[in-house]
Amino acid sequence: MKIAIAGAGAMGSRIGLMLHQAGNEVILIDRWPEHIKTIREKGLIGTFEDHEIVAHLPIFSPEEIVADHATVDLVVALTKSMQLEAMFQDIKPIIGEKTFVFCLLNGLGHEETLAKFVPRENIIFGTTTWTAGLAGPGHAKLVGTGSIELENLAPKGKAFTLEVLEVFQQAQLNPIYSSNVRYSIWKKACINGTLNGLCTILDCNIADLGSLQVTKGLLQAIVAEFAAVAQAEGIELNQHQVIQAIEATYDIKTQGLHYPSMYQDLILNHRKTEIDYINGAVWQKGQNYQIATPYCAFLTQLVHGKEELLQAN
Amino acid sequence: MKIAIAGAGAMGSRIGLMLHQAGNEVILIDRWPEHIKTIREKGLIGTFEDHEIVAHLPIFSPEEIVADHATVDLVVALTKSMQLEAMFQDIKPIIGEKTFVFCLLNGLGHEETLAKFVPRENIIFGTTTWTAGLAGPGHAKLVGTGSIELENLAPKGKAFTLEVLEVFQQAQLNPIYSSNVRYSIWKKACINGTLNGLCTILDCNIADLGSLQVTKGLLQAIVAEFAAVAQAEGIELNQHQVIQAIEATYDIKTQGLHYPSMYQDLILNHRKTEIDYINGAVWQKGQNYQIATPYCAFLTQLVHGKEELLQAN
C-alpha cells in the first residue's frame, strides 16, 4: 500500500517505520527542518528494545508536495491538533478521489476539519496505545508495545478499512476493528481532558493529582460535561467507567509518576497546548448545542492564560 | 470606650494602637505566643512613617479569657476568617448583653458566624482601606493612610454605631458611616474573589493577570456569579462598576506589581487560604439559593488542591 505519514514526529516515525518494514511504500511529511535534513542524509533510525533499524524513507515538508505529486492510497494523520488543517491544505496534491485518511490524532473536532478535504466515506478514525519518543531529529526510540483501534466513519468505507487493518496487521501494529471508535475517542479525550489540564494548572504529576481530596469532584464535573456534549453527538459515555479509567492512571507503578504531555509541552517546554481540541472543543461544541460546560471553559481559559504568561509558542 | 481587639495581627495592632493613643481602654487578644510574649515584655511597638510609639497594652490568648473577665463595650473582630468562630467561642466571657461586635474581616459569611454569639442589633460591619504589616512579633509597621466604612446591621444598632464612629474619629482612623456596608463588603469580596484566586492559580502578579486575553472573560464569569448570589441576599451589585474597580488594580504604579495576599499566604508561605470565605462562600450560598456558581466552585477546588499539594497549614 502507498502510505503517506502526515506528521512524522515520534508516533508518525514509529508507524512509518513499521509499515515500511512490512513492505509498504511509505513517505513521510513533516515540518521540522532538522528532522528532514537528518533523514535525507542518514535515513530514519528506529531504536527498538533489542535492535536498531535504518530506513531510507522519502521525507518532504508539506510545502514540497506540489501539484504533480502522485496520489497515495492512505494518509495517516499524526500532526499536532492545531497543525492538522494547514497540513491538509498543503498536501492536497497527494489526496486523490480514492485516497483514504486515517486520523490517529488525540482530541476532538478533527472530523469537521478532515471533512473539508475528503468525503466522510474515505475517513477512518482510530486511537492507539502505542507510545514513541524521539532521541533527536531522525531518531525514533521505540520501546514497549501497543495496539490500534480503528473504524471507518461511514459504512461505505468499511471495505478499504479492512484492507488497512490487514496492512497494519502485517506490520505488527496490532490493529483491532472497532465497533464504536468515536466512543473510544471521547473516552480518551475525557482522560486527557482531566489529567492534562489539571496537572498543568496545579503543577503536579498524575499520582499527586489522584491523591487530592478535590480531584474526585473535579473529575465528576468535567466528565459530566464531556458526557452531555457526547450525548448530543449520539455517543453515550458511561461516566462511571470513564472515571474508573482515569483513576487507573494514578498508580505509581504505571503512569502515576508521569507528567501528562500538556504539562511537558507547556510547563517544561513553553509550547502551546492542544487544550482547544480537548476541553476547548467540548466548550465550543457545548455552545453549539446550548449545553453549559463551565468547567471545560474555565480550564481552557486557565491553560490559555498560562500559555500567555509563559510566552508559549 | 473599653475595646477588645480580637485578632491583633498587623491590622489589629494598628487599630488597637490608634484607639489606645486616643485614650480608649484597649486590650489585645491573639493566639501567637511570640507576639504575646514580646508585647508583655516590651510593649507593642508601632513604627509610623516619621515616629515610633510603644504602647503597654494588655494582651491575652483567647484561652486566657476566663469566666470572671470583665465585659467590654466593643469587640473589633480582625482574625483570619477561619479563626473567627473559635475566637468568639473562647472570648464569650468579655461579651456582655450590651457589647457590640465590629467585624472588619474580609470575605463573606461572617454575619452568620457572629449571629451565633451576639444579637444582630449589636453587630456592626465595616471595610477598611488602611494597610498594615508586622516587622516581627510585637512590632507593627504603619505607613500610609486609609479610611473605615461602617454600618450597623440592624436599625436598632445605629445609636451605638455612631458612638463608635466618634471614637474612631478621635483616633484619626477616618471612619465613614455607610449607607450600604453590605454592598461594599460584596464589592470588596468580588475584587478578592478574582485577583486572589486567579493570581494564586496562575502564579502571577496583578498586572500580569490584567494583561492576559482571557482575564476579561474570567472576571465577567466570576463577578456574574457573585452578583447572582448577592441579589438573592438583597444586594444589587453593579457588575460593570465592580469590573472597573478590579481593572483599576492592574496599574503598575499602584497595585499592579503586587502579589495578592492569598498568593503570599499559599504560594510563598504555604499557609491555608481564606478561599472558603470568598469564592467558596459564594459557592456555598449559591447551593442554598439553587444558583449555579461553577467558576467560584472550580476556583475554590483548585485553591484547595494547591493547598494540599503544598501541605499548607
Side-chain angles (χ1 to χ4, degrees), chain A residues 10 80 82 131-134 192 195-201 203-206 254-274 303 306-307 310 312-313:
Chain A
K80 284 268 180 193
M82 47 283 221
T131 60
L134 284 180
N192 287 324
L195 300 182
N196 270 291
L198 294 174
C199 286
T200 299
I201 289 302
D203 194 4
C204 66
N205 68 27
I206 293 170
T254 56
Q255 294 180 68
L257 299 178
H258 181 77
Y259 288 81
S261 59
M262 185 178 289
Y263 182 99
Q264 297 183 39
D265 283 346
L266 179 53
I267 306 299
L268 301 184
N269 300 314
H270 297 192
R271 288 206 205 105
K272 281 206 172 137
T273 71
E274 298 190 279
V303 170
K306 200 75 196 167
E307 286 173 346
L310 295 176
N313 54 39

Side-chain angles (χ1 to χ4, degrees), chain B:
Chain B
M1 195 173 276
K2 188 164 179 184
I3 303 169
I5 308 289
M11 186 65 74
S13 294
R14 174 190 273 282
I15 291 175
L17 273 172
M18 291 175 77
L19 289 169
H20 164 79
Q21 292 279 92
N24 298 285
E25 189 185 334
V26 173
I27 66 169
L28 307 177
I29 306 169
D30 202 86
R31 289 195 195 276
W32 186 17
E34 291 89 339
H35 198 48
I36 295 172
K37 186 166 175 278
T38 308
I39 293 172
R40 284 183 179 162
E41 285 172 5
K42 303 182 184 169
L44 173 61
I45 301 168
T47 303
F48 293 84
E49 242 138 308
D50 53 1
H51 67 293
E52 189 164 291
I53 60 164
V54 181
H56 292 275
L57 298 176
I59 180 162
F60 303 94
S61 76
E63 297 83 2
E64 289 173 320
I65 307 292
V66 287
D68 62 345
H69 214 107
T71 62
V72 297
D73 302 315
L74 181 69
V75 179
V76 181
L78 272 164
T79 62
K80 284 270 179 189
S81 292
M82 47 285 218
Q83 295 158 353
L84 184 65
E85 179 148 5
M87 171 65 82
F88 274 78
Q89 275 296 351
D90 282 341
I91 67 169
K92 274 182 185 172
I94 63 167
I95 301 173
E97 270 180 32
K98 291 188 175 171
T99 302
F100 269 66
V101 174
F102 178 16
C103 179
L104 269 168
L105 275 68
N106 282 325
L108 303 167
H110 305 312
E111 273 185 52
E112 292 81 348
T113 302
L114 290 175
K116 297 177 191 173
F117 302 97
V118 278
R120 271 176 64 83
E121 52 261 37
N122 287 22
I123 298 177
I124 304 167
F125 263 80
T127 65
T128 180
T129 61
W130 286 98
T131 59
L134 284 180
H139 187 178
K141 297 270 265 183
L142 307 170
V143 297
T145 185
S147 62
I148 295 180
E149 197 184 319
L150 73 167
E151 189 187 21
N152 38 295
L153 275 192
K156 220 176 147 186
K158 184 159 184 179
F160 187 80
T161 302
L162 293 177
E163 284 183 47
V164 171
L165 194 90
E166 179 63 26
V167 164
F168 274 61
Q169 187 64 60
Q170 284 161 5
Q172 299 182 314
L173 280 158
N174 304 335
I176 302 153
Y177 187 77
S178 173
S179 60
N180 196 353
V181 77
R182 294 167 86 230
Y183 186 96
S184 303
I185 287 169
W186 273 91
K187 186 177 168 187
K188 196 166 180 181
C190 275
I191 298 174
N192 287 325
T194 47
L195 301 182
N196 270 291
L198 294 175
C199 287
T200 299
I201 288 301
L202 287 171
D203 194 4
C204 65
N205 67 27
I206 293 170
D208 285 339
L209 179 69
S211 75
L212 302 180
Q213 289 178 45
V214 295
T215 298
K216 185 85 177 195
L218 292 175
L219 298 192
Q220 287 168 337
I222 294 171
V223 171
E225 293 180 0
F226 273 76
V229 173
Q231 191 176 45
E233 304 218 323
I235 297 145
E236 295 290 333
L237 276 184
N238 179 327
Q239 296 182 50
H240 179 68
Q241 206 183 70
V242 169
I243 288 173
Q244 278 188 325
I246 296 166
E247 290 177 339
T249 66
Y250 300 164
D251 191 339
I252 59 168
K253 291 188 216 95
T254 56
Q255 295 179 68
L257 300 177
H258 182 76
Y259 288 81
S261 60
M262 185 177 288
Y263 182 97
Q264 297 182 40
D265 283 346
L266 180 54
I267 306 300
L268 301 183
N269 300 314
H270 297 193
R271 290 207 203 104
K272 280 206 173 139
T273 73
E274 299 190 279
I275 193 78
D276 282 340
Y277 302 88
I278 313 170
N279 306 81
V282 173
W283 179 20
Q284 180 69 50
K285 286 171 181 284
Q287 286 180 310
N288 296 342
Y289 299 123
Q290 306 204 322
I291 294 168
T293 60
Y295 274 72
C296 284
F298 195 3
L299 193 54
T300 302
Q301 291 165 307
L302 287 172
V303 170
H304 281 318
K306 199 77 194 164
E307 286 173 344
E308 212 177 329
L309 283 169
L310 295 175
Q311 299 178 290
N313 53 41

